[in-house]
C-alpha cells in the first residue's frame, strides 16, 4: 500500500489510519444518526467518530437518567401505571435531562449534514492518505473484513466487533460500560437462575432500571461494527484500485466511451 501521511498539506482528507483505529468521512443518513442519539445520547456522535462529545453525552445520560429515575418511570408506563410513573420522576434532575437530550439529537443531525458536505469536497480533492500505521503498541492497516463476522462478535459481547475492525476507542468504551450495566442490572445472576429453572428468583434479582440500558447498547455495537466494516471495505477497495492504477497500469491505457473493446 502507499506511504502517504496526513501532514496537513491538503485541505481535507477522506480518512486517517492510526494505531487507535481508522477514521473516515463517508456519506451518512442524518436521520439515522439522529435516531441513534434519541435512542441513547452519545451514540450518534460515536457513529460519527466524534468521540469526546459522544463520551460526554453518554456519561451524562447514564448519570442523569439514573438520578431522574427516567428508566423506572418508563417501566411503570409499560405496565400502565401512569400515576406511579409520574411519582418516581425527580424533576430536579429531569429538567436538566431534557435540554441535553434534545441537544444530542439536534447536534448529531447538524454534524452529519456538515460532514457529508466535507466528504463530497474531500472526494473531489482526492488527496492521498495514509493506509498503514505501526507503533510500539499496535499495528493498523486498511484491509477487507467480513461484516457478518463483525455482527456475530458484537452479538456475543458488544465491543468485540469493534476490536475485529480495529476501532479501539469505541471497543474499550463499549466493553467497559457493558460490564457496568451487567453488574448493576444483575443480569448474569438472572441468567444463572434461569438455567436452574428458577424463574421467580431470576425476575426478582434483576434491576430493571439498569437492564433497560443493555438493549440499546447491544443494538449500537452491532450497527456500528457492521456499518464501519462495510465502509472500511469500500475505502480499502478504492485505495487499492488507485494504487494499482498509479503504479502498474500502462500510461497509454485509455477507455474510450461509447466504443466496444475488441
Amino acid at each position: 500500500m502507499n506511504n502517504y501521511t496526513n501532514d496537513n498539506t491538503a485541505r481535507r482528507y477522506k480518512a486517517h489510519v492510526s494505531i487507535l483505529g481508522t477514521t473516515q468521512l463517508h456519506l451518512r443518513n442524518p436521520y439515522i444518526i439522529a435516531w441513534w442519539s434519541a435512542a441513547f445520547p452519545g451514540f450518534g456522535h460515536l457513529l460519527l467518530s466524534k468521540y469526546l462529545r459522544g463520551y460526554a453525552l453518554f456519561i451524562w445520560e447514564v448519570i442523569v437518567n439514573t438520578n431522574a429515575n427516567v428508566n423506572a418511570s418508563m417501566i411503570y408506563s409499560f405496565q400502565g401505571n401512569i400515576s406511579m410513573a409520574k411519582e418516581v420522576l425527580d424533576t430536579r434532575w429531569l429538567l436538566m435531562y431534557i435540554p441535553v437530550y434534545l441537544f444530542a439529537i439536534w447536534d448529531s443531525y447538524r454534524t452529519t449534514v456538515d460532514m457529508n458536505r466535507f466528504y463530497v469536497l474531500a472526494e473531489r480533492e482526492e488527496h492521498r492518505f495514509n493506509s498503514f500505521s505501526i507503533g510500539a503498541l499496535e499495528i493498523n492497516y486498511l484491509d477487507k473484513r467480513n461484516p457478518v463476522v463483525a455482527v456475530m462478535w458484537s452479538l456475543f459481547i458488544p465491543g468485540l466487533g469493534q476490536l475485529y475492525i480495529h476501532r479501539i476507542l469505541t471497543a474499550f468504551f463499549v466493553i467497559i460500560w457493558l460490564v457496568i450495566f451487567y453488574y448493576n442490572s444483575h443480569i448474569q445472576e438472572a441468567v444463572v437462575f434461569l438455567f436452574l429453572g428458577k424463574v421467580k428468583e431470576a425476575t426478582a434479582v434483576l434491576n430493571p432500571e439498569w437492564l433497560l440500558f443493555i438493549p440499546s447498547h447491544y443494538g449500537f455495537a452491532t450497527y456500528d461494527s457492521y456499518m464501519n466494516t462495510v465502509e472500511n471495505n469500500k475505502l480499502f477497495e478504492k485505495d487499492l484500485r488507485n494504487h494499482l492504477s498509479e503504479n502498474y497500469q500502462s500510461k497509454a491505457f485509455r477507455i474510450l466511451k461509447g466504443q466496444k473493446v475488441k
Side-chain angles (χ1 to χ4, degrees):
M1 304 299 286
N2 61 55
N3 294 317
Y4 294 89
T5 57
N6 296 7
D7 54 5
N8 293 323
T9 57
R11 291 194 67 189
R12 302 170 186 88
Y13 294 94
K14 285 192 300 183
H16 177 67
V17 176
S18 72
I19 62 172
L20 294 178
T22 300
T23 305
Q24 64 166 307
L25 292 173
H26 62 82
L27 293 177
R28 297 175 173 91
N29 188 326
Y31 293 104
I32 292 178
I33 301 298
W35 184 89
W36 277 110
S37 291
F40 206 115
F43 279 166
H45 292 85
L46 291 179
L47 288 169
L48 297 173
S49 297
K50 305 281 284 185
Y51 296 113
L52 295 180
R53 202 175 306 182
Y55 296 159
L57 289 170
F58 184 98
I59 294 171
W60 172 272
E61 162 70 14
V62 174
I63 294 174
V64 180
N65 185 308
T66 53
N67 282 279
N69 299 319
V70 174
N71 282 354
S73 177
M74 290 175 60
I75 294 167
Y76 284 119
S77 298
F78 296 154
Q79 296 172 344
N81 193 346
I82 306 301
S83 60
M84 195 63 185
K86 295 178 180 178
E87 186 177 338
V88 297
L89 283 174
D90 189 328
T91 54
R92 293 177 301 173
W93 286 92
L94 185 64
L95 291 177
M96 291 191 293
Y97 178 84
I98 296 174
V100 178
Y101 181 81
L102 295 176
F103 169 81
I105 299 172
W106 171 80
D107 188 65
S108 62
Y109 179 92
R110 175 196 62 82
T111 304
T112 306
V113 172
D114 285 344
M115 290 179 67
N116 285 345
R117 293 170 180 165
F118 284 127
Y119 167 78
V120 173
L121 295 173
E123 184 74 9
R124 291 178 180 176
E125 191 170 346
E126 289 190 343
H127 198 281
R128 299 307 301 272
F129 55 88
N130 64 315
S131 59
F132 183 91
S133 180
I134 186 170
L137 297 177
E138 267 289 356
I139 300 174
N140 187 25
Y141 47 87
L142 286 183
D143 194 11
K144 198 165 186 179
R145 294 179 171 87
N146 191 334
V148 177
V149 174
V151 169
M152 179 192 70
W153 283 115
S154 293
L155 291 175
F156 281 145
I157 293 291
L160 295 184
Q162 280 72 21
L163 285 179
Y164 170 64
I165 60 174
H166 206 95
R167 282 174 63 81
I168 303 298
L169 293 175
T170 302
F172 273 87
F173 189 80
V174 169
I175 290 173
I176 289 170
W177 277 99
L178 179 70
V179 172
I180 294 173
F181 294 153
Y182 271 176
Y183 181 83
N184 287 283
S185 67
H186 302 283
I187 190 172
Q188 304 289 51
E189 299 169 50
V191 170
V192 173
F193 280 126
L194 282 177
F195 285 151
L196 297 174
K198 300 179 180 180
V199 179
K200 290 184 178 179
E201 289 84 349
T203 305
V205 78
L206 282 174
N207 185 334
E209 289 186 74
W210 286 90
L211 183 65
L212 282 185
F213 288 126
I214 296 178
S216 56
H217 209 64
Y218 265 87
F220 164 76
T222 304
Y223 176 79
D224 177 80
S225 63
Y226 178 85
M227 183 267 296
N228 279 287
T229 305
V230 171
E231 294 300 332
N232 285 353
N233 287 347
K234 293 178 183 178
L235 188 68
F236 168 77
E237 290 173 354
K238 186 163 187 177
D239 183 70
L240 181 60
R241 184 164 58 247
N242 290 339
H243 174 74
L244 294 175
S245 298
E246 290 179 5
N247 295 279
Y248 296 98
Q249 183 172 287
S250 171
K251 300 298 182 183
F253 179 79
R254 294 289 185 275
I255 296 179
L256 301 178
K257 294 182 178 179
Q259 296 185 14
K260 295 182 179 180
V261 179
K262 297 182 180 181

